[in-house]
Amino acid sequence: AQSVTQPDIHITVSEGASLELRCNYSYGATPYLFWYVQSPGQGLQLLLKYFSGDTLVQGIKGFEAEFKRSQSSFNLRKPSVHWSDAAEYFCAVGPTGTASKLTFGTGTRLQVTL
Amino acid sequence: DVKVTQSSRYLVKRTGEKVFLECVQDMDHENMFWYRQDPGLGLRLIYFSYDVKMKEKGDIPEGYSVSREKKERFSLILESASTNQTSMYLCASINLPYGYTFGSGTRLTVV
């Protein structure tokens, strides 16, 4: 069965510092991979996705992620974090089954200090 | 843009009440999902539907049921609400390869 691991529950970075959030997945075929962001009290917003082609994908808000098949990883990066990036970030993999389910990680909460 | 609308942002219900959470999407997607989100547990799939009147159990269906009478609407039903169902509930529809589009969520408190 597919699974997603986000090993960091909570990360704190200073504003202006670089950021990397880790995501490892287990999947039996070529995956679709996603990163979502959730601000407090809100639903989840898609940051970026990978499903084929260039392994470095660009997303919204200056985020990027790199698909590394050999490491089963899809880490999210940002060169310079802004205070507004404080949120919870979820990695997801899929699709599976009739309804194309996605499997989500348990999330990484990002705190940004000024 | 796809819109997924959840009818209530906040709900407070009493133990034992029957609760309906409504979700509507406007892009003719076939596949819709209900998740609950709890701190430290991430998103857990309750039920999903891949067509009208079709439904399948997710990972934590106990205490819940669903209804999909029309393609655009997917309802989550708590047959007899309990305090352990206090949670954030998120509805989503999927449009591969673009992934899920989520609603804004319903924060349900059962007292």
Side-chain angles (χ1 to χ4, degrees), chain A residues 6-21:
Chain A
Q6 293 181 248
D8 303 307
I9 296 172
H10 187 209
I11 284 181
T12 301
V13 299
S14 300
E15 188 174 41
S18 64
L19 172 70
E20 182 169 28
L21 303 183

Side-chain angles (χ1 to χ4, degrees), chain A residues 5-62:
Chain A
T5 301
Q6 293 181 248
D8 303 307
I9 296 172
H10 187 209
I11 284 181
T12 301
V13 299
S14 300
E15 188 174 41
S18 64
L19 172 70
E20 182 169 28
L21 303 183
R22 295 183 290 166
C23 173
N24 293 96
Y25 67 90
S26 172
Y27 192 74
T30 302
Y32 288 9
L33 293 159
F34 305 86
W35 274 99
Y36 286 85
V37 61
Q38 185 182 35
S39 298
Q42 301 298 313
L44 276 71
Q45 180 185 21
L46 180 66
L47 276 178
L48 48 77
K49 61 188 181 294
Y50 169 82
F51 49 91
S52 66
D54 193 346
T55 56
L56 183 65
V57 293
Q58 304 296 320
I60 62 172
K61 305 186 181 187

Side-chain angles (χ1 to χ4, degrees), chain A residues 32 34 36 38 41-44 46 49 51 88 90 95 98-102 104-106, chain B residues 9 31 33 35 37 41-43 45 48 50 88 90 94 96-100 102-104:
Chain A
Y32 288 9
F34 305 86
Y36 286 85
Q38 185 182 35
Q42 301 298 313
L44 276 71
L46 180 66
K49 61 188 181 294
F51 49 91
E88 191 153 22
F90 293 91
T98 309
S100 300
K101 291 184 294 179
L102 299 185
F104 288 82
T106 52
Chain B
R9 290 298 305 276
N31 302 332
F33 306 82
Y35 286 85
Q37 182 182 15
L41 298 177
L43 279 71
L45 181 62
F48 61 97
Y50 53 88
M88 169 73 95
L90 293 165
I94 196 165
L96 287 175
Y98 305 105
Y100 283 172
F102 282 90
S104 298

Side-chain angles (χ1 to χ4, degrees), chain A residues 50-88:
Chain A
Y50 169 82
F51 49 91
S52 66
D54 193 346
T55 56
L56 183 65
V57 293
Q58 304 296 320
I60 62 172
K61 305 186 181 187
F63 285 92
E64 67 178 26
E66 187 171 13
F67 170 55
K68 293 185 177 180
R69 185 186 301 275
S70 62
Q71 298 177 21
S72 297
S73 69
F74 189 55
N75 293 348
L76 181 71
R77 302 193 294 245
K78 187 169 184 178
S80 178
V81 170
H82 188 262
W83 63 266
S84 61
D85 293 324
E88 191 153 22

Side-chain angles (χ1 to χ4, degrees), chain B residues 28-53:
Chain B
D28 205 34
H29 291 169
E30 294 181 343
N31 302 332
M32 298 185 72
F33 306 82
W34 274 106
Y35 286 85
R36 65 175 283 176
Q37 182 182 15
D38 301 286
L41 298 177
L43 279 71
R44 293 182 291 168
L45 181 62
I46 305 171
Y47 266 95
F48 61 97
S49 169
Y50 53 88
D51 203 350
V52 175
K53 298 190 184 296

Side-chain angles (χ1 to χ4, degrees), chain B residues 5-58:
Chain B
T5 303
Q6 294 183 232
S7 54
S8 304
R9 290 298 305 276
Y10 299 95
L11 278 178
V12 180
K13 297 292 182 180
R14 296 190 181 278
T15 301
E17 276 193 77
K18 190 169 186 176
V19 181
F20 293 85
L21 303 183
E22 305 288 344
C23 176
V24 178
Q25 51 97 359
D26 66 357
M27 283 299 290
D28 205 34
H29 291 169
E30 294 181 343
N31 302 332
M32 298 185 72
F33 306 82
W34 274 106
Y35 286 85
R36 65 175 283 176
Q37 182 182 15
D38 301 286
L41 298 177
L43 279 71
R44 293 182 291 168
L45 181 62
I46 305 171
Y47 266 95
F48 61 97
S49 169
Y50 53 88
D51 203 350
V52 175
K53 298 190 184 296
M54 306 299 286
K55 60 185 179 184
E56 286 197 25
K57 295 179 180 179

